[in-house]
Amino acid sequence: MGEIMIRGWYIGSSGMNAQQNRLDTIANNLANVDTAGFKRDETSTKTFSELLLRRTSADGVYKTPFGSADAAPIIGKIGLGVETNENFTVFEQGSFRGTNTNTDMALAGEGFFAVDTPSGERYTRNGNFILGKEGMLLTKDGYPLLGENGFIRVPDDKFIVNEDGVITTKDNEVIDRIKVVRFENERYLKKMGNSLWNSNDISGEAYIAEGMERPKMLQGYMETSNVNVVNEMVKMIEVNRAYEASQKTIQSEDSMMQTLWNKVALSR
């Protein structure tokens, strides 16, 4: 009886830990509701392995010519709690908002802009770029936007970007084509902060998107976050209630154990 009750503490605490991780994810989503191109995260959980229970006091062993074997009747299974399985990103398209700013761009479809950082090439959906020194297109953090021929330099903010990402001056002179990349397994890209992503062995290396894989480029627009505030708040309420339920489980187990200890002490 005591073992089962102690196990209840661990089951309750594992539920609290899992809900805490989920709450952290929801809080991060809400904090980035106004971040251009942000993709919300989801948390999935899984149960620990189940334990098979057997009776231990009902002729549990029988003899055979080769030795003995366990014949204890099976009572059933008991779960040992829950744990966070993974955090994954939902790459659902955000809506578009017009800005009437030529340096703002949005991708209509799956794909990423490529930017140069001190840590190497990184990827983003945030197309709110600025015109930096020497006419270079930069992210808000000062990282150069990459074209297929390197850094992108424009003479002024009157440049034009067509749906394929080709940049031309107001005099129709081609400057470059914006580098838009895809990955074999985009679901496993790793968030690096500041709206940046990085590839890994599971996601595969970046390759330039062409044809049907290439998203359309929209100049003068920004892609909003795909976070739905109402849905996230509902999830937060669910998490709080689940957390409180696990907390009450531990309190009940503690009360039951205290009663058991008192009875054992009185019996002696």
Side-chain angles (χ1 to χ4, degrees), residues 203-234:
S203 69
E205 293 299 318
Y207 63 88
I208 294 177
E210 298 288 2
M212 297 299 293
E213 282 194 318
R214 188 176 179 86
K216 289 184 178 180
M217 190 84 61
L218 302 178
Q219 186 181 22
Y221 288 84
M222 64 166 285
E223 181 188 8
T224 63
S225 164
N226 68 357
V227 176
N228 185 306
V229 176
V230 175
N231 289 344
E232 296 300 316
M233 292 301 294
V234 170

Side-chain angles (χ1 to χ4, degrees), residues 253-268:
E253 295 286 346
D254 184 61
S255 177
M256 292 168 62
M257 183 61 75
Q258 187 173 10
T259 301
L260 176 62
W261 286 337
N262 289 337
K263 289 186 177 181
V264 170
L266 288 174
S267 66
R268 293 184 178 181

